[in-house]
Amino acid sequence: MAEQEDGRPDPDALLAQVQKEEAKARKGRLKIFFGAAPGVGKTYAMLLAAQQERAKGVDVLMGVVETHGRDETSALTEGLSLLPRRAIPYKGVVLEEFDVDAALARRPALLLVDELAHSNAPGSRHKKRWQDVEELLDAGLSVYTTLNVQHLESVNEAVQRITGVQVRETVPDRILQEADAIALVDISDEDLLQRLKEGKVYLGDRGQRAMGHFFRKSNLIALRQLAMRLAADRVDLELQQYRSHNPLDEGHGGGRDRLLVAVGGHPEDEQLIRTTYHLATALRATWLAVHVDTPDGLIKQPQAHAWVWNHLHLAESLGAETVRLTGIHAAREILAYANLRDVTQIIVGQPLGLKKFLWLWPGSPLARVLSSERWVDVLVHPLQRKTARNEDRQTANRQYLGIGISSQQRRQRLWHYVISAGIGIGLSGMAWYLGTARIGMADAFMLYLLGAVGTALVYGRWPSIVTLAAAITSYYAFGLSTGLPNTLGSLLSFAIILSLSLLISQLVARSREQEEMARLRERRVRNLYNLAQSLSTVRAKEDIIQVTRQQLKETLGLSVVFWLPDGEGKAGDQIHPFPPDSQLPEEGDALMAAARWSYRNKKMAGRGTDTLPDVPALFLPLPGPRFPLGLIMIGELDIRHMPMDWQRFLETVARLVAVALESAIQFAKSRDAEVQLQVEQLHNALLGAVSHDLRTPLTSVVGAASTLQHGGGLTDDERDKLIANILSESRKMSRMVGRILDMARLQSATMEIKKEWFPLEDLVAAATQQVEVLLRDHPLTANIAKDFPLLHVDGHLIEELLVNLLENAAKYTPSGAPIEIEGWDGQDGLNIRVIDHGVGVPPGREEEIFRRFSRVKPPTGEGGSGLGLAICDAIAHLHGGKIRVNNRVMSRGAVFTLTLPKEVPPPNPPEEPKA
Amino acid sequence: MTHILIVEDEEKITDFLAMTLRREGYTVAIANDLAKARAMLKAMSPRKGEAFDVVLLDMGLPDGDGLTLIPAIRARPGLLGPMILVLSARGEELEKIRALDAGADDYLCKPFAIGEFLARLRALLRRRDASTGGPAHGILHVGDLEIDRDHHRAMKRGSDLALTPIEYAMLVLLAERVGTVLTHKQFLDSIWGKAAHDQTHYVRFYIKRLREKIEDNPSAPTYIITETGIGYRLVSSP
């Protein structure tokens, strides 16, 4: 609960508590008018309360109110507006049901929904009305409802024991526990019987019949007791919760009991769970439902898995913590776990059947638990054998394993019997052919045994019996019985053979079943494993969906469609099939409605579930942080061919996919954030560079201009110098602005390059023009091979690149040193070189200098913006080429080499005759 | 008297342009948006000899694109219209080409130095005078180059350059409009005809050859200047 072992509040539990309360604040409030039996006046009480609310001005709406024709009750509905019911056509009849959507649309402050345990007509959204009510509460509507004690899940069996009537419509106990208020409507048994007699409960002679069965006085007393106890338990629970929030307020220590119920794979273990639940509630104890998977148990009873799952599910819904352990000795594991968790009481079931007499056998699990040396109470609970639910083992097995029996298989099986019978007759024929002289009776019987075992091996148990029966019948028919000592003796022999072959076939059949089951289970695990593995290799959302679809198709034969929300996870998000061109079955609107419901309510919906079971597809939400990340729609799901715990299996699949999707989303987010960060860093660096590089010349300009403005007493030379400075510094700024624009353009994704065919000479000429001033100090020689082909490039960009290289060359080269440009058609592409006689590149920085804002201090003057070479690099890449630098080997200087891919040049202009 | 219309919205720019031009002896009118420019152009009556000789046109004006004004300036029938010098920012080559194709005579990149501006202006005025001067005859001098249009040959410092017919034709085109830009399209149209209008590499190919013949250092040309993305310009050596 909310405390750790040392008594301090457990932060996780506190958080859970806060979240629970928050969820509760958003939810509507539920008040249950709770009674022991029909006719105690729950509906009446509910209407009375509703009228009081109405008098206070609350907007009350009657969703469903069953007056059962009682006048006093009907009178109370006056003044309350009634929600029209929804007509549901079903097998030629029109059934009327409570209209959830209309109620949600109308949004009253208080909604009356009678008969919480009601089962909805087929075709409704939910199978049960309590599911409707849950949806209403989730949507924030407040509800008044009525409930009889016999409909509560946890007392369902007790009621059956008391009254002998099986109640099929049950409501989970948590509904009662989580209700905001309970009004116990109680009248004395005499009054109720009186009302029954007066026909106020059931009209006509139904009342008389009811009095004979359900409404016996003893029953009523028991039911009232039950109802009162449950109501009291609930108040207790509230007290307990209140105390756990306010530890200081705890006057007397509440029980710190912890119960443990050992759950096996028998259908009867359900009784254990209910008992433990009641015990735990009474003791205000927490409780654990534990199952131990043993290798033995796994093999013996495959269907037990389904039961275990059902049991643990039930326990969970009743508030237990469920645990599944694995071990060789169930008892040892349970005791160890009980010790670990400080369990005060262990509840185990008394073995059934033959084992009942052996349960204190020293080696039995129960005996082990009982003989434990630890201080723990053990309660051995007697179990009632369930006959109603004891299905055919094999069918259950098959169902669990997901093996359907088709008509083709049935035909095939018929053949097996025919063949088996044939073998039996054949064997007798053989014995007859050989004659009694050569083959004795014992030999013949051995022959039959061989045949029976053979058919058992190949076809199974029943065919083997057929073989034997056919053999024995024909044995007499062929007249082989002559010479037998006596009929009794031969009958005994047959009996022995029959039991032997049955035993063998039983063993064989079981081992085959086990083998098959192990194989199927292994396949299931492998499917999940494969899915997990493939999901771990992909990162993009689309890929995850693709992989999942492919895997489910390949391994389970399920073709699925994903539905994805168009937003970031809000109730209002629309969801759409993905891929968008997915083939949907015809009932598009119904599918859309089911998908939307499943998304908003974060629950499964559609075929095979309790919600919208008529929709021809199953929707499986992918659990997300607030709303599902999406839905998996399974169109062609034949539940009959699915394992019994298929929902659980699909949930596992959904969870796997959800985890992958979630991490994909997070990955994308973090990547976006990273890109964003890089862009920001770039911007900051750019801003820094720009502000520095622009401010320096600006300072000169402002200084020079203001000197001129105030400038008396300047010589003409000084004035000219200042003006020249203003001009040159302004040009520098202009050039820098241009370069920043270039860089921005090159970085933007929209940058398009416009390629044309250029002679290299033309580009060099254009570039030299721009750096004319710089080159006055540095004689330029161009050495371009005669056969150098036309370049297919963006003229502007290559010109810019060359200008940058030439500027660099000039900047890092002593005055007067020449600069050379070379161009030649190389192996790996067209090469253009700019060679200088300067200081060269600092060793080790050959690659770094092409990065943005990487600067090398020139020998004289100031460094550049650190953008020039980065621009060159970007331009080279845009052209599918590359640029690199190395220092000259023999002398000082740097060599920048641009390599561009070769392309087939267009034809030259037509030649003309020499003048 | 030479009349110059400045169509430009930036006051700082009109200030120094007008100042310089007046000092150079031109008369100056200023329009700071398209509407005013239109009104001023309309108010001029060419019949009475009133006309602008040059329009300095900014592209980005508050009430629209300066480009739209070019047809209005050019569409005046009869007498020779004003020369149009487009002022535009660097990196807007497409806009410049559009302006030149629409009928502008030359362009100048902002920012520019006043010396460069005046040189362009003079080149335009010279061209205007030359084009009124009848058929293309006689000898053209550009720096050390001498182009004899009567004998279809070009010489540099007295020696024959031995140009092919196409090289010669290109040089003449450039020389007749010395100082102003010629677009690739203009070269292609007049030498190879409209069919070759997208073969811009023809122009580059022959310019390269021409440079090899007329330039001292073809890698650092001084006569034929490349206007990247637009075309070429012949300048008299500095």
Side-chain angles (χ1 to χ4, degrees):
Chain A
M1 297 251 87
E3 282 180 27
Q4 281 174 324
E5 306 308 320
D6 54 4
R8 274 182 312 178
D10 173 0
D12 287 340
L14 281 179
L15 184 66
Q17 185 68 38
V18 170
Q19 280 170 345
K20 209 164 144 190
E21 275 166 13
E22 273 178 0
K24 210 158 186 171
R26 278 197 301 276
K27 281 174 80 168
R29 303 181 75 77
L30 176 68
K31 182 167 185 174
I32 298 178
F33 292 84
F34 190 57
V40 294
K42 298 179 301 296
T43 306
Y44 184 85
M46 178 174 80
L47 286 170
L48 212 58
Q51 286 290 1
Q52 281 171 0
E53 289 296 312
R54 187 178 78 98
K56 284 188 225 158
V58 176
D59 174 25
V60 182
L61 178 70
M62 292 194 292
V64 202
V65 172
E66 309 279 358
T67 58
H68 298 288
R70 294 165 213 157
D71 293 337
E72 303 100 306
T73 316
S74 306
L76 272 176
T77 61
E78 219 146 284
L80 298 174
S81 44
L82 179 70
L83 189 74
R85 296 207 185 180
R86 197 162 86 95
I88 296 169
Y90 179 68
K91 290 187 180 169
V93 202
V94 176
L95 301 171
E96 289 195 328
E97 280 295 350
F98 169 56
D99 195 340
V100 188
D101 288 315
L104 284 171
R106 165 81 168 64
R107 294 201 76 84
L110 178 61
L111 187 70
L112 309 185
V113 184
D114 212 352
E115 301 275 2
L116 188 62
H118 174 82
S119 290
N120 287 331
S124 310
R125 177 185 296 170
H126 298 293
K127 278 189 180 164
K128 303 283 185 178
R129 185 170 286 163
W130 61 264
Q131 291 176 303
D132 292 343
V133 169
E134 275 207 312
E135 190 176 340
L136 293 169
L137 293 171
D138 283 340
L141 266 64
S142 290
V143 177
Y144 279 5
T145 188
T146 63
L147 179 69
N148 282 325
V149 68
Q150 77 257 31
H151 293 300
L152 267 184
E153 175 74 45
S154 72
V155 297
N156 184 264
E157 273 171 23
V159 171
Q160 194 182 337
R161 267 203 305 276
I162 296 166
T163 63
V165 178
Q166 188 172 8
V167 180
R168 295 193 186 276
E169 300 184 322
T170 59
V171 174
D173 287 62
R174 67 184 156 82
I175 302 281
L176 187 74
Q177 281 167 6
E178 287 168 11
D180 297 275
I182 287 185
L184 181 65
V185 185
D186 189 37
I187 56 172
S188 72
D189 351 307
E190 281 87 4
D191 287 349
L192 181 58
L193 286 172
Q194 186 61 34
R195 291 187 59 182
L196 200 65
K197 269 185 203 135
E198 286 166 11
K200 282 181 178 169
V201 179
Y202 292 117
L203 298 175
D205 53 337
R206 272 184 74 201
Q208 291 300 321
R209 267 191 284 129
M211 270 169 78
H213 294 92
F214 194 81
F215 285 84
R216 268 189 304 219
K217 193 168 176 177
S218 59
N219 283 359
L220 290 179
I221 293 171
L223 287 173
R224 279 182 60 205
Q225 251 179 0
L226 204 55
M228 283 182 200
R229 207 191 74 209
L230 282 168
D233 281 355
R234 216 198 83 98
V235 179
D236 250 19
L237 200 72
E238 272 172 23
L239 181 69
Q240 190 188 347
Q241 274 171 357
Y242 173 73
R243 283 217 188 105
S244 70
H245 296 173
N246 306 281
L248 291 178
D249 201 55
E250 196 167 358
H252 39 274
R256 296 196 72 179
D257 284 328
R258 186 173 279 157
L259 311 188
L260 183 151
V261 57
V263 180
H266 309 283
E268 293 83 7
D269 288 354
E270 210 176 293
Q271 300 160 33
L272 276 181
I273 291 166
R274 289 184 212 278
T275 305
T276 314
Y277 164 72
H278 290 300
L279 258 176
T281 316
L283 292 170
R284 280 184 257 138
T286 54
W287 62 295
L288 309 161
V290 179
H291 172 76
V292 183
D293 283 313
T294 57
D296 202 28
L298 278 173
I299 295 163
K300 268 187 203 154
Q301 290 152 328
Q303 84 281 11
H305 281 280
W307 281 120
V308 169
W309 186 66
N310 279 346
H311 292 335
L312 293 181
H313 216 65
L314 173 71
E316 218 166 68
S317 75
L318 290 173
E321 180 186 338
T322 58
V323 182
R324 234 182 143 147
L325 304 170
T326 313
I328 294 172
H329 299 291
R332 197 180 292 165
E333 294 302 325
I334 284 180
L335 285 173
Y337 191 73
N339 189 39
L340 185 76
R341 298 294 305 269
D342 289 330
V343 167
T344 51
Q345 192 171 358
I346 297 175
I347 293 97
V348 288
Q350 192 181 35
L352 291 161
L354 272 177
K355 283 186 195 159
K356 207 171 195 167
F357 305 103
L358 294 172
W359 64 279
L360 277 179
W361 196 260
S364 78
L366 186 54
R368 278 169 190 265
V369 172
L370 286 173
S371 62
S372 152
E373 287 168 7
R374 297 196 172 87
W375 287 100
V376 59
D377 294 344
V378 178
L379 175 72
V380 182
H381 191 268
L383 297 174
Q384 269 184 319
R385 164 83 67 190
K386 277 208 165 182
T387 43
R389 303 177 82 165
N390 204 358
E391 291 135 306
D392 176 19
R393 280 252 142 125
Q394 202 168 12
T395 326
N397 280 358
R398 287 188 172 277
Q399 214 177 354
Y400 173 70
L401 295 172
I403 314 164
I405 300 167
S406 65
S407 57
Q408 194 197 345
Q409 281 171 316
R410 215 169 286 139
R411 254 200 313 281
Q412 214 173 16
R413 195 174 299 167
L414 198 69
W415 269 110
H416 294 172
Y417 284 111
V418 173
I419 295 168
S420 306
I423 289 172
I425 297 166
L427 287 172
S428 287
M430 207 160 95
W432 173 75
Y433 177 75
L434 293 170
T436 38
R438 260 173 286 177
I439 185 164
M441 192 196 79
D443 299 324
F445 284 0
M446 289 314 282
L447 208 59
Y448 293 168
L449 186 60
L450 187 70
V453 171
T455 40
L457 272 170
V458 183
Y459 298 140
R461 188 180 313 161
W462 290 105
S464 125
I465 293 170
V466 167
T467 303
L468 206 61
I472 291 165
T473 320
S474 54
Y475 181 84
Y476 288 100
F478 286 128
L480 290 171
S481 62
T482 47
L484 280 181
N486 55 59
T487 324
L488 193 70
S490 61
L491 275 182
L492 189 69
S493 307
F494 281 127
I496 292 168
I497 294 176
L498 189 65
S499 352
L500 245 169
S501 66
L502 272 182
L503 198 68
I504 292 171
S505 66
Q506 182 87 8
L507 281 172
V508 169
R510 179 174 281 184
S511 76
R512 272 172 34 148
E513 264 170 32
Q514 284 167 6
E515 188 194 328
E516 190 173 21
M517 202 195 68
R519 200 163 46 80
L520 280 164
R521 188 177 304 121
E522 196 264 338
R523 200 173 72 188
R524 250 172 73 146
V525 172
R526 201 176 52 224
N527 288 347
L528 280 177
Y529 174 75
N530 284 346
L531 180 63
Q533 205 177 30
S534 347
L535 284 176
S536 68
T537 57
V538 289
R539 269 293 157 82
K541 203 169 175 176
E542 288 74 19
D543 294 341
I544 289 169
I545 289 169
Q546 181 59 32
V547 161
T548 310
R549 297 187 60 185
Q550 201 180 330
Q551 281 282 336
L552 290 181
K553 180 92 204 163
E554 276 173 14
T555 58
L556 296 173
L558 295 174
S559 51
V560 302
V561 173
F562 275 74
W563 289 61
L564 297 178
D566 54 7
E568 288 260 303
K570 289 186 298 292
D573 283 344
Q574 291 297 312
I575 47 175
H576 308 287
F578 185 95
D581 55 342
S582 309
Q583 285 285 315
L584 293 180
E586 295 199 344
E587 297 87 339
D589 287 347
L591 286 177
M592 181 59 97
R596 210 173 290 149
W597 190 91
S598 171
Y599 179 74
R600 290 193 188 151
N601 293 278
K602 304 162 228 165
K603 285 175 191 159
M604 277 199 207
R607 175 185 288 168
T609 67
D610 290 347
T611 303
L612 296 166
D614 301 320
V615 171
L618 174 72
F619 288 90
L620 202 61
L622 302 168
R626 289 197 56 228
F627 274 88
L629 302 169
L631 304 170
I632 295 181
M633 182 181 90
I634 302 170
E636 292 153 20
L637 176 72
D638 195 339
I639 296 154
R640 283 171 308 173
H641 290 182
M642 291 295 287
M644 233 157 108
D645 60 346
W646 56 274
Q647 282 190 333
R648 168 98 153 180
F649 178 73
L650 290 178
E651 270 173 18
T652 313
V653 169
R655 210 160 294 146
L656 264 177
V657 177
V659 167
L661 270 182
E662 177 72 17
S663 77
I665 291 167
Q666 292 303 333
F667 177 70
K669 265 190 197 159
S670 71
R671 198 183 42 195
D672 284 352
E674 209 171 287
V675 169
Q676 191 60 38
L677 191 72
Q678 272 183 1
V679 169
E680 263 170 39
Q681 279 173 346
L682 175 64
H683 281 172
N684 289 342
L686 195 64
L687 215 65
V690 167
S691 59
H692 172 263
D693 291 346
L694 284 181
R695 202 172 282 147
T696 316
L698 255 179
T699 312
S700 315
V701 171
V702 171
S706 52
T707 310
L708 285 172
Q709 195 179 21
H710 299 290
L714 287 172
T715 65
D716 280 357
D717 277 357
E718 283 168 336
R719 292 174 72 86
D720 286 352
K721 185 147 201 288
L722 288 174
I723 290 166
N725 280 352
I726 292 175
L727 258 180
S728 72
E729 291 301 285
S730 308
R731 286 214 176 94
K732 205 187 261 177
M733 282 194 284
S734 161
R735 175 100 192 93
M736 195 165 298
V737 169
R739 201 166 278 181
I740 289 164
L741 287 177
D742 280 343
M743 196 70 217
R745 232 156 42 100
L746 287 171
Q747 290 287 312
S748 78
T750 54
M751 171 80 196
E752 268 180 48
I753 66 172
K754 199 177 143 229
K755 283 187 178 179
E756 284 179 87
W757 292 97
F758 287 89
L760 176 58
E761 290 86 347
D762 195 36
L763 294 167
V764 171
T768 50
Q769 268 162 228
Q770 291 204 37
V771 286
E772 196 192 348
V773 184
L774 283 174
L775 290 181
R776 277 181 201 150
D777 268 356
H778 302 280
L780 178 83
T781 49
N783 201 347
I784 298 165
K786 275 274 169 258
D787 62 345
F788 198 81
L790 293 177
L791 291 165
H792 198 216
V793 292
D794 183 309
H796 274 290
L797 295 179
I798 297 296
E799 186 187 316
E800 175 73 27
L801 182 147
L802 290 173
V803 166
N804 277 316
L805 291 183
L806 289 174
E807 274 187 350
N808 259 2
K811 199 182 288 172
Y812 293 95
T813 308
S815 185
I819 298 171
E820 289 141 45
I821 295 185
E822 287 178 359
W824 82 99
D825 190 349
Q827 284 277 314
D828 49 344
L830 303 175
N831 296 294
I832 299 152
R833 261 187 188 169
V834 176
I835 305 164
D836 66 40
H837 295 262
V839 292
V841 181
R845 293 185 64 184
E846 286 88 351
E847 285 185 16
E848 188 223 298
I849 59 168
F850 289 103
R851 272 185 233 138
R852 279 184 295 257
F853 308 117
S854 158
R855 309 179 198 202
V856 175
K857 183 107 178 80
T860 56
E862 356 168 343
S865 57
L867 282 175
L869 286 178
I871 290 174
C872 291
D873 193 48
I875 291 170
H877 273 104
L878 270 177
H879 284 86
K882 58 178 186 290
I883 187 166
R884 59 183 190 277
V885 67
N886 44 283
N887 287 325
R888 290 164 54 132
V889 183
M890 301 299 285
S891 57
R892 286 192 347 140
V895 182
F896 284 87
T897 311
L898 168 71
T899 309
L900 292 173
K902 280 187 212 183
E903 285 184 62
V904 181
N908 278 338
E911 272 301 324
E912 48 176 346
K914 283 264 155 59
Chain B
M1 258 319 218
T2 307
H3 291 282
I4 296 178
L5 173 62
I6 305 175
V7 187
E8 163 72 65
D9 59 325
E10 202 58 57
E11 213 180 307
K12 300 265 164 30
I13 296 174
T14 53
D15 275 356
F16 82 79
L17 283 177
M19 227 183 277
T20 312
L21 289 172
R22 287 199 183 109
R23 206 176 55 215
E24 293 288 318
Y26 303 108
T27 55
V28 178
I30 297 171
N32 42 27
D33 58 30
L34 278 179
K36 275 200 196 107
R38 284 218 173 82
M40 282 177 172
L41 284 166
K42 216 170 222 168
M44 284 287 170
S45 158
R47 276 167 225 292
K48 290 183 208 156
E50 292 175 1
F52 289 117
D53 297 288
V54 178
V55 177
L56 303 176
L57 185 58
D58 181 33
M59 288 280 110
L61 289 165
D63 55 347
D65 191 346
L67 195 74
T68 57
L69 204 61
I70 295 173
I73 302 168
R74 280 272 164 262
R76 311 219 109 194
L79 288 164
L80 188 75
M83 302 299 272
I84 302 171
L85 179 60
V86 168
L87 307 174
S88 91
R90 176 177 172 271
E92 291 165 0
E93 272 67 33
L94 249 148
E95 199 167 66
K96 285 172 206 157
I97 290 182
R98 263 165 60 218
L100 291 171
D101 285 347
D105 295 285
D106 203 352
Y107 74 92
L108 193 58
C109 271
K110 289 178 186 174
F112 49 82
I114 210 74
E116 197 185 354
F117 167 71
L118 287 173
R120 288 291 167 82
L121 190 63
R122 276 195 288 270
L124 275 182
L125 288 169
R126 246 199 325 271
R127 212 177 107 196
R128 186 179 139 94
D129 295 342
S131 53
T132 51
H137 286 301
I139 296 172
L140 292 167
H141 289 274
V142 180
D144 288 338
L145 301 174
E146 192 182 308
I147 300 149
D148 185 348
R149 286 184 290 180
D150 298 328
H151 298 97
H152 289 267
R153 61 178 189 168
M155 291 184 297
K156 187 180 177 185
R157 294 180 204 119
S159 58
D160 196 334
L161 290 168
L163 299 182
T164 65
I166 289 178
E167 287 161 8
Y168 173 78
M170 290 184 85
L171 184 59
V172 169
L173 270 178
L174 285 163
E176 280 176 351
R177 304 173 62 167
V178 68
T180 62
V181 74
L182 269 152
T183 63
H184 295 119
K185 188 167 169 278
Q186 283 164 335
F187 279 113
L188 288 166
D189 285 356
S190 57
I191 295 173
W192 286 277
K194 303 250 179 210
H197 70 278
D198 54 350
Q199 308 289 330
T200 49
H201 66 281
Y202 283 14
V203 182
R204 298 195 184 100
F205 183 84
Y206 277 100
I207 290 285
K208 179 187 132 189
R209 286 194 170 182
L210 197 52
R211 273 178 177 153
E212 280 163 6
K213 289 184 180 170
I214 67 172
E215 298 281 0
D216 293 336
N217 178 0
S219 306
T222 51
Y223 286 105
I224 300 173
I225 299 297
T226 305
E227 298 285 344
T228 311
I230 292 165
Y232 298 94
R233 182 197 304 278
L234 186 68
V235 293
S236 353
S237 245

